[in-house]
Amino acid sequence: MWNQTNVSRVLGIEYPILQGPFGGNLSSVKLVSTVSNLGGMGGYGAYMLAPDEIVALDKELKQATTKPYNINLWVSDSDFPAGEVSDAQFEKAAALVKPFFDELGAPLPAKPKAYPSRFENQVEALLTAKPAVFSFIFGLPSQTILEDFRKKGIKLIGNATTLDEAIALDNAGVDVIIASGFEAGGHRPSFLESPEASLTGTFVLVQQIREKVKTPVVAAGGIADARGVAAAFALGADGVQIGTAFLATEESGASAYHRNLLHSDAARYTTLTKVSTGRLGRGIRSRYTETIAGRNDELLPFPLQNQFIVPLRKAATEQQQYDLIMFWGGQIAPVLKHTSAKKLFETIVEEVPAFLK
């Protein structure tokens, strides 16, 4: 049976199909529970949640499904040393986006302030909540933290964008490794080198990792249908993680505009850029991304850039000036067909065997 793989056995799921854990309120309990209840593994991106919110979220998820699901956190949640950015650096970043604020008649925000890392407090909340799976990006937690999860019986999934990162995760003893290719939408979760130096494609990365690492590998990036699943398996993956295709369904937390955009011709054109948050990520091109493309050095570091332009996104949404927002999406968007997560999942499960013959 095609679905009986090391990934499905390790994670205790019927089908080795994982739903990408979206951050920024794009995840939803409905989407996670739908995928898990169908036999896959739903995922929720909890990076932005406070510890008490994580505990509350987990209670909601446990009410919605009795099947395994994944809660995801970011190990590294800041790209600059403790302290503030200089006034000169802020003025340069402010000048870059001020024309957009002016266009919307919105006041330019004050310089955003740094806040301490929340990761360890979030980890404590997850240990209390005890989801079936804890996945992490942008780094590798300490062995102490990893062992705390093992003691609770919580499976561990790490994300790699290079072979070196996969080897580091393997040495740390994670249960599953996500091979995240540059085709994927959202942030590039690199942690050993810069994301710009870690742009290996999904299918090359899967083969590299499978050749050198014993930990089960899940292919992520550029997979949205049964054909993509079968191709990933043929190259050595034991499972797949699907992001953009699930993001574009009505069960996700994405806005109706965002979902429709992913199904439109505009989704043919994506870009890897830092202009949205200060960290490199893939989204659909817009007037905002194209106007300030190539000026990453003038942006604030993550997460300050993200905080700084939140009012811009809010004003643009209220005024329906959507070309001043970057919406996340992967390169696979032009092949999307389903607006229902249930239909998407069931179609993949039904069609995979034919492509594996």
Side-chain angles (χ1 to χ4, degrees):
M1 297 293 289
W2 70 268
N3 55 305
Q4 296 177 1
T5 71
N6 288 331
V7 165
S8 57
R9 285 188 285 270
V10 167
L11 299 181
I13 55 180
E14 186 177 359
Y15 300 101
I17 300 173
L18 285 62
Q19 169 243 316
F22 318 122
N25 299 316
L26 297 177
S27 290
S28 75
V29 171
K30 185 175 183 180
L31 178 58
V32 173
S33 59
T34 295
V35 174
S36 289
N37 285 333
L38 288 168
M41 176 166 282
Y44 198 106
Y47 154 70
M48 295 182 67
L49 301 184
D52 59 333
E53 293 174 321
I54 290 174
V55 173
L57 164 68
D58 186 76
K59 289 180 180 178
E60 281 191 69
L61 290 168
K62 283 183 168 65
Q63 290 174 351
T65 182
T66 59
K67 302 292 184 67
Y69 54 83
N70 157 42
I71 295 182
N72 177 270
L73 295 178
W74 294 15
V75 179
S76 166
D77 49 17
S78 177
D79 287 343
F80 62 100
E84 304 291 335
V85 296
S86 69
D87 288 341
Q89 187 175 2
F90 171 69
E91 288 169 6
K92 185 183 295 185
L96 197 61
V97 298
K98 186 177 184 299
F100 302 116
F101 280 93
D102 290 345
E103 179 179 339
L104 295 168
L108 195 69
K111 182 170 70 172
K113 294 185 177 181
Y115 53 80
S117 173
R118 298 177 292 183
F119 176 66
E120 292 194 1
N121 290 335
Q122 291 173 324
V123 161
E124 289 301 317
L126 269 192
L127 288 168
T128 298
K130 199 178 174 182
V133 177
F134 162 46
S135 74
F136 51 87
I137 61 175
F138 287 120
L140 182 56
S142 69
Q143 275 299 327
T144 299
I145 288 176
L146 295 178
E147 188 57 32
D148 286 342
F149 279 94
R150 293 189 188 102
K151 289 175 181 176
K152 294 273 190 176
I154 300 170
K155 298 299 183 181
L156 299 164
I157 299 179
N159 282 253
T161 63
T162 65
L163 176 58
D164 286 346
E165 290 177 349
I167 291 171
L169 291 168
D170 184 52
N171 290 338
V174 301
D175 297 291
V176 172
I177 295 172
I178 305 287
S180 179
F182 70 79
E183 302 94 331
H187 287 101
R188 303 300 305 135
S190 307
F191 63 94
L192 288 183
E193 290 190 70
S194 72
E196 292 86 352
S198 308
L199 298 178
T200 306
T202 302
F203 285 177
V204 170
L205 186 58
V206 166
Q207 293 176 82
Q208 289 179 346
I209 296 174
R210 185 59 186 261
E211 186 71 21
K212 301 294 183 181
V213 171
K214 294 180 180 179
T215 302
V217 180
V218 168
I223 301 169
D225 56 20
R227 190 188 302 271
V229 173
F233 280 20
L235 293 175
D238 285 307
V240 297
Q241 179 170 281
I242 298 174
T244 299
F246 279 120
L247 182 63
T249 65
E250 59 192 11
E251 291 92 340
S252 86
S255 67
Y257 182 88
H258 190 171
R259 299 195 308 270
N260 290 336
L261 191 66
L262 288 169
H263 285 283
S264 75
D265 287 344
R268 299 178 187 177
Y269 311 105
T270 65
T271 182
L272 275 172
T273 180
K274 291 183 176 181
V275 300
S276 184
T277 67
R279 275 188 176 172
L280 193 68
R282 184 176 297 282
I284 299 171
R285 292 180 187 175
S286 67
R287 180 159 62 93
Y288 172 74
T289 68
E290 298 310 286
T291 300
I292 57 178
R295 302 179 70 177
N296 286 342
D297 291 345
E298 298 174 53
L299 302 172
L300 295 175
F302 181 88
L304 299 187
Q305 177 69 19
N306 187 51
Q307 293 171 231
F308 184 51
I309 67 167
V310 163
L312 178 65
R313 295 192 198 108
K314 184 174 184 294
T317 300
E318 290 172 350
Q319 298 180 38
Q320 298 185 4
Q321 294 291 324
Y322 297 116
D323 60 347
L324 297 184
I325 303 172
M326 186 182 83
F327 291 93
W328 299 115
Q331 289 183 326
I332 199 65
V335 310
L336 301 184
K337 295 181 176 63
H338 299 289
T339 58
S340 160
K342 183 175 186 292
K343 182 65 174 176
L344 169 64
F345 192 96
E346 291 175 339
T347 301
I348 291 173
V349 168
E350 178 184 347
E351 294 180 354
V352 164
F355 288 109
L356 290 175
K357 288 182 180 179

